[in-house]
Every structure is written in C-alpha cells, then in structure tokens.
C-alpha cells in the first residue's frame, strides 16, 4: 500500500490538500506521477511529503521520496 493509502486518502484528496488546483480543477496527475516514480518538481514533492507527514504516515522526506544521482554527478 502507498503512504497515501495508509493515510486513508484518495488521490483526489491528497492533491486537493497539497493545493494542486488550477481553474477550480484538482490536478490528480501530480500525485499519480509521484506514485508511478516519475520525476516531479522538488516543490511538489515537498508539498506531498508535508501532507503525508501531517497524516502521520511518515517522518523523513526520504520515507516518501529518494534522490537518484548518476555516478557522473558524484565528485571523486
């Protein structure tokens, strides 16, 4: 189960709580993209993490998202 499901929230509810709204429409795709492992902005990731933390299903940002880096990004 996803953390969102553990929190008892639908995709719609979490998107609404995160403020993912445009022209009075809730934008579910940001939640769906995050859960599918697609790249989302750090800003949106922080909003999702904050709402899940408020719901009590995680503590650290790394409980929700992880940062990937290529070897070329690491300085020796």
């Amino acid at each position: 189960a996803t953390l969102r499901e553990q929190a008892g929230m639908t995709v719609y509810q979490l998107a609404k709580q995160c403020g993912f709204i445009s022209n009075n429409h809730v934008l579910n795709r940001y939640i769906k993209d995050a859960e599918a492992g697609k790249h989302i902005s750090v800003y949106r990731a922080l909003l999702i993490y904050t709402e899940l933390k408020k719901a009590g299903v995680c503590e650290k940002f790394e409980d929700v998202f992880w940062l990937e880096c290529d070897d070329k990004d690491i300085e020796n």
Side-chain angles (χ1 to χ4, degrees), residues 5 18 26-29 43 47 57 61:
E5 291 168 333
C18 289
V26 175
L27 305 175
N28 293 336
R29 74 175 179 272
Y43 174 73
L47 290 172
V57 294
F61 182 80

mmCIF file with all atom_site columns, all heavy atoms in Angstrom, residues 5 18 26-29 43 47 57 61:
data_model
loop_
_atom_site.group_PDB
_atom_site.id
_atom_site.type_symbol
_atom_site.label_atom_id
_atom_site.label_alt_id
_atom_site.label_comp_id
_atom_site.label_asym_id
_atom_site.label_entity_id
_atom_site.label_seq_id
_atom_site.pdbx_PDB_ins_code
_atom_site.Cartn_x
_atom_site.Cartn_y
_atom_site.Cartn_z
_atom_site.occupancy
_atom_site.B_iso_or_equiv
_atom_site.pdbx_formal_charge
_atom_site.auth_seq_id
_atom_site.auth_comp_id
_atom_site.auth_asym_id
_atom_site.auth_atom_id
_atom_site.pdbx_PDB_model_num
ATOM 1  N N   . GLU A 1 5  ? -2.436 5.709  0.754   1.00 0.00 ? 5  GLU A N   1
ATOM 2  C CA  . GLU A 1 5  ? -3.476 4.749  1.123   1.00 0.00 ? 5  GLU A CA  1
ATOM 3  C C   . GLU A 1 5  ? -3.446 4.472  2.623   1.00 0.00 ? 5  GLU A C   1
ATOM 4  O O   . GLU A 1 5  ? -4.498 4.368  3.257   1.00 0.00 ? 5  GLU A O   1
ATOM 5  C CB  . GLU A 1 5  ? -3.311 3.454  0.326   1.00 0.00 ? 5  GLU A CB  1
ATOM 6  C CG  . GLU A 1 5  ? -3.615 3.621  -1.148  1.00 0.00 ? 5  GLU A CG  1
ATOM 7  C CD  . GLU A 1 5  ? -3.172 2.427  -1.996  1.00 0.00 ? 5  GLU A CD  1
ATOM 8  O OE1 . GLU A 1 5  ? -2.224 1.719  -1.594  1.00 0.00 ? 5  GLU A OE1 1
ATOM 9  O OE2 . GLU A 1 5  ? -3.758 2.227  -3.062  1.00 0.00 ? 5  GLU A OE2 1
ATOM 10 N N   . CYS A 1 18 ? -2.751 19.315 -1.070  1.00 0.00 ? 18 CYS A N   1
ATOM 11 C CA  . CYS A 1 18 ? -1.465 19.873 -1.491  1.00 0.00 ? 18 CYS A CA  1
ATOM 12 C C   . CYS A 1 18 ? -1.639 21.189 -2.246  1.00 0.00 ? 18 CYS A C   1
ATOM 13 O O   . CYS A 1 18 ? -0.666 21.883 -2.507  1.00 0.00 ? 18 CYS A O   1
ATOM 14 C CB  . CYS A 1 18 ? -0.714 18.880 -2.379  1.00 0.00 ? 18 CYS A CB  1
ATOM 15 S SG  . CYS A 1 18 ? -0.074 17.449 -1.509  1.00 0.00 ? 18 CYS A SG  1
ATOM 16 N N   . VAL A 1 26 ? -9.014 20.002 -9.523  1.00 0.00 ? 26 VAL A N   1
ATOM 17 C CA  . VAL A 1 26 ? -7.932 19.355 -8.783  1.00 0.00 ? 26 VAL A CA  1
ATOM 18 C C   . VAL A 1 26 ? -7.075 18.582 -9.771  1.00 0.00 ? 26 VAL A C   1
ATOM 19 O O   . VAL A 1 26 ? -7.576 17.839 -10.606 1.00 0.00 ? 26 VAL A O   1
ATOM 20 C CB  . VAL A 1 26 ? -8.499 18.430 -7.688  1.00 0.00 ? 26 VAL A CB  1
ATOM 21 C CG1 . VAL A 1 26 ? -7.387 17.660 -7.005  1.00 0.00 ? 26 VAL A CG1 1
ATOM 22 C CG2 . VAL A 1 26 ? -9.284 19.247 -6.669  1.00 0.00 ? 26 VAL A CG2 1
ATOM 23 N N   . LEU A 1 27 ? -5.773 18.793 -9.684  1.00 0.00 ? 27 LEU A N   1
ATOM 24 C CA  . LEU A 1 27 ? -4.835 18.156 -10.617 1.00 0.00 ? 27 LEU A CA  1
ATOM 25 C C   . LEU A 1 27 ? -4.286 16.870 -9.996  1.00 0.00 ? 27 LEU A C   1
ATOM 26 O O   . LEU A 1 27 ? -3.285 16.875 -9.277  1.00 0.00 ? 27 LEU A O   1
ATOM 27 C CB  . LEU A 1 27 ? -3.700 19.136 -10.945 1.00 0.00 ? 27 LEU A CB  1
ATOM 28 C CG  . LEU A 1 27 ? -4.153 20.500 -11.489 1.00 0.00 ? 27 LEU A CG  1
ATOM 29 C CD1 . LEU A 1 27 ? -2.967 21.422 -11.671 1.00 0.00 ? 27 LEU A CD1 1
ATOM 30 C CD2 . LEU A 1 27 ? -4.913 20.333 -12.800 1.00 0.00 ? 27 LEU A CD2 1
ATOM 31 N N   . ASN A 1 28 ? -4.954 15.760 -10.289 1.00 0.00 ? 28 ASN A N   1
ATOM 32 C CA  . ASN A 1 28 ? -4.560 14.461 -9.738  1.00 0.00 ? 28 ASN A CA  1
ATOM 33 C C   . ASN A 1 28 ? -3.232 13.978 -10.298 1.00 0.00 ? 28 ASN A C   1
ATOM 34 O O   . ASN A 1 28 ? -2.557 13.157 -9.680  1.00 0.00 ? 28 ASN A O   1
ATOM 35 C CB  . ASN A 1 28 ? -5.618 13.403 -10.060 1.00 0.00 ? 28 ASN A CB  1
ATOM 36 C CG  . ASN A 1 28 ? -6.930 13.653 -9.360  1.00 0.00 ? 28 ASN A CG  1
ATOM 37 O OD1 . ASN A 1 28 ? -6.984 14.313 -8.327  1.00 0.00 ? 28 ASN A OD1 1
ATOM 38 N ND2 . ASN A 1 28 ? -8.000 13.128 -9.916  1.00 0.00 ? 28 ASN A ND2 1
ATOM 39 N N   . ARG A 1 29 ? -2.848 14.454 -11.484 1.00 0.00 ? 29 ARG A N   1
ATOM 40 C CA  . ARG A 1 29 ? -1.707 13.867 -12.179 1.00 0.00 ? 29 ARG A CA  1
ATOM 41 C C   . ARG A 1 29 ? -0.406 13.993 -11.389 1.00 0.00 ? 29 ARG A C   1
ATOM 42 O O   . ARG A 1 29 ? 0.467  13.146 -11.521 1.00 0.00 ? 29 ARG A O   1
ATOM 43 C CB  . ARG A 1 29 ? -1.551 14.444 -13.580 1.00 0.00 ? 29 ARG A CB  1
ATOM 44 C CG  . ARG A 1 29 ? -1.008 15.846 -13.639 1.00 0.00 ? 29 ARG A CG  1
ATOM 45 C CD  . ARG A 1 29 ? -0.784 16.264 -15.111 1.00 0.00 ? 29 ARG A CD  1
ATOM 46 N NE  . ARG A 1 29 ? -0.289 17.611 -15.183 1.00 0.00 ? 29 ARG A NE  1
ATOM 47 C CZ  . ARG A 1 29 ? -1.054 18.697 -15.240 1.00 0.00 ? 29 ARG A CZ  1
ATOM 48 N NH1 . ARG A 1 29 ? -2.359 18.571 -15.231 1.00 0.00 ? 29 ARG A NH1 1
ATOM 49 N NH2 . ARG A 1 29 ? -0.512 19.880 -15.305 1.00 0.00 ? 29 ARG A NH2 1
ATOM 50 N N   . TYR A 1 43 ? 9.513  21.133 -5.375  1.00 0.00 ? 43 TYR A N   1
ATOM 51 C CA  . TYR A 1 43 ? 8.441  21.889 -4.710  1.00 0.00 ? 43 TYR A CA  1
ATOM 52 C C   . TYR A 1 43 ? 7.208  21.015 -4.503  1.00 0.00 ? 43 TYR A C   1
ATOM 53 O O   . TYR A 1 43 ? 6.655  20.951 -3.398  1.00 0.00 ? 43 TYR A O   1
ATOM 54 C CB  . TYR A 1 43 ? 8.091  23.128 -5.554  1.00 0.00 ? 43 TYR A CB  1
ATOM 55 C CG  . TYR A 1 43 ? 6.915  23.897 -5.034  1.00 0.00 ? 43 TYR A CG  1
ATOM 56 C CD1 . TYR A 1 43 ? 7.025  24.681 -3.882  1.00 0.00 ? 43 TYR A CD1 1
ATOM 57 C CD2 . TYR A 1 43 ? 5.683  23.845 -5.681  1.00 0.00 ? 43 TYR A CD2 1
ATOM 58 C CE1 . TYR A 1 43 ? 5.936  25.391 -3.389  1.00 0.00 ? 43 TYR A CE1 1
ATOM 59 C CE2 . TYR A 1 43 ? 4.596  24.559 -5.193  1.00 0.00 ? 43 TYR A CE2 1
ATOM 60 C CZ  . TYR A 1 43 ? 4.728  25.325 -4.056  1.00 0.00 ? 43 TYR A CZ  1
ATOM 61 O OH  . TYR A 1 43 ? 3.654  26.024 -3.568  1.00 0.00 ? 43 TYR A OH  1
ATOM 62 N N   . LEU A 1 47 ? 5.458  19.423 -0.968  1.00 0.00 ? 47 LEU A N   1
ATOM 63 C CA  . LEU A 1 47 ? 4.041  19.573 -0.609  1.00 0.00 ? 47 LEU A CA  1
ATOM 64 C C   . LEU A 1 47 ? 3.419  18.214 -0.286  1.00 0.00 ? 47 LEU A C   1
ATOM 65 O O   . LEU A 1 47 ? 2.694  18.063 0.708   1.00 0.00 ? 47 LEU A O   1
ATOM 66 C CB  . LEU A 1 47 ? 3.264  20.248 -1.737  1.00 0.00 ? 47 LEU A CB  1
ATOM 67 C CG  . LEU A 1 47 ? 3.573  21.729 -1.973  1.00 0.00 ? 47 LEU A CG  1
ATOM 68 C CD1 . LEU A 1 47 ? 2.885  22.213 -3.244  1.00 0.00 ? 47 LEU A CD1 1
ATOM 69 C CD2 . LEU A 1 47 ? 3.146  22.571 -0.789  1.00 0.00 ? 47 LEU A CD2 1
ATOM 70 N N   . VAL A 1 57 ? 1.934  9.284  8.529   1.00 0.00 ? 57 VAL A N   1
ATOM 71 C CA  . VAL A 1 57 ? 2.381  8.036  7.898   1.00 0.00 ? 57 VAL A CA  1
ATOM 72 C C   . VAL A 1 57 ? 3.868  8.048  7.528   1.00 0.00 ? 57 VAL A C   1
ATOM 73 O O   . VAL A 1 57 ? 4.369  7.075  6.987   1.00 0.00 ? 57 VAL A O   1
ATOM 74 C CB  . VAL A 1 57 ? 1.530  7.679  6.651   1.00 0.00 ? 57 VAL A CB  1
ATOM 75 C CG1 . VAL A 1 57 ? 0.100  7.351  7.068   1.00 0.00 ? 57 VAL A CG1 1
ATOM 76 C CG2 . VAL A 1 57 ? 1.557  8.792  5.631   1.00 0.00 ? 57 VAL A CG2 1
ATOM 77 N N   . PHE A 1 61 ? 11.639 13.060 4.852   1.00 0.00 ? 61 PHE A N   1
ATOM 78 C CA  . PHE A 1 61 ? 11.384 13.203 3.421   1.00 0.00 ? 61 PHE A CA  1
ATOM 79 C C   . PHE A 1 61 ? 11.768 11.923 2.684   1.00 0.00 ? 61 PHE A C   1
ATOM 80 O O   . PHE A 1 61 ? 11.068 11.486 1.776   1.00 0.00 ? 61 PHE A O   1
ATOM 81 C CB  . PHE A 1 61 ? 12.178 14.398 2.875   1.00 0.00 ? 61 PHE A CB  1
ATOM 82 C CG  . PHE A 1 61 ? 11.960 14.671 1.416   1.00 0.00 ? 61 PHE A CG  1
ATOM 83 C CD1 . PHE A 1 61 ? 10.842 15.355 0.982   1.00 0.00 ? 61 PHE A CD1 1
ATOM 84 C CD2 . PHE A 1 61 ? 12.874 14.240 0.467   1.00 0.00 ? 61 PHE A CD2 1
ATOM 85 C CE1 . PHE A 1 61 ? 10.633 15.613 -0.369  1.00 0.00 ? 61 PHE A CE1 1
ATOM 86 C CE2 . PHE A 1 61 ? 12.675 14.492 -0.880  1.00 0.00 ? 61 PHE A CE2 1
ATOM 87 C CZ  . PHE A 1 61 ? 11.551 15.175 -1.289  1.00 0.00 ? 61 PHE A CZ  1
#
